[in-house]
């Protein structure tokens, strides 16, 4: 496992989830979750966190791509650290919401987009 993979796994573990090594082949997901939001009804607070998370992913994905292309990119390294700190600030709220099955499914669907775009 390379340094990027170790950092990524560690970061995702901190967010309270584990991403499997295999990624299911399929169409690339769009910038927002493709599943109908009605499929995973969320509370207002849960939706606010998911909107924040999806916006965060929109910033995180290109930085990770830059880092993967050039692991010595100090700008990408700094931005990854900043984005990781930002994510840690809402980890407690995320962990609490993960107890709700609808939220957890929505979250995993959103995270799948990030995984597919990074690979």
């Amino acid at each position: 496992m390379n340094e990027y993979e170790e950092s990524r796994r560690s970061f995702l573990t901190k967010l309270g989830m584990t991403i499997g090594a295999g990624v299911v082949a399929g169409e690339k997901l769009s910038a927002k979750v493709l599943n109908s939001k009605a499929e995973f009804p969320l509370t207002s607070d849960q939706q606010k966190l998911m909107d924040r998370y999806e916006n965060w992913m929109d910033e995180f994905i290109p930085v990770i791509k830059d880092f993967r292309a050039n692991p010595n990119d100090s700008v990408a390294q700094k931005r990854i650290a900043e984005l990781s700190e930002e994510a840690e600030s809402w980890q407690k709220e995320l962990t609490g919401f993960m107890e709700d099955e609808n939220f957890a499914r929505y979250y995993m669907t959103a995270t799948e987009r990030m995984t597919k775009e990074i690979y």
Side-chain angles (χ1 to χ4, degrees), residues 92-104:
K92 183 176 180 180
E93 185 178 23
L94 174 66
T95 301
F97 287 156
M98 289 297 280
E99 293 179 15
D100 179 296
E101 185 176 329
N102 285 322
F103 180 86

Side-chain angles (χ1 to χ4, degrees), residues 25-83:
E27 294 182 4
K28 186 176 182 181
L29 295 174
S30 69
K32 294 290 178 186
V33 175
L34 284 180
N35 294 69
S36 167
K37 290 186 180 183
E39 190 175 335
F40 308 118
L42 303 178
T43 67
S44 174
D45 288 340
Q46 290 171 334
Q47 188 61 58
K48 285 178 188 175
L49 179 61
M50 284 309 304
D51 290 344
R52 184 176 178 189
Y53 177 61
E54 290 182 85
N55 289 331
W56 176 89
M57 283 192 304
D58 291 340
E59 292 183 50
F60 190 72
I61 290 167
V63 174
I64 287 295
K65 287 180 177 180
D66 290 346
F67 178 76
R68 290 187 75 201
N70 178 10
N72 296 319
D73 183 342
S74 62
V75 173
Q77 290 173 357
K78 180 180 178 190
R79 190 65 184 132
I80 288 169
E82 292 169 350
L83 288 166

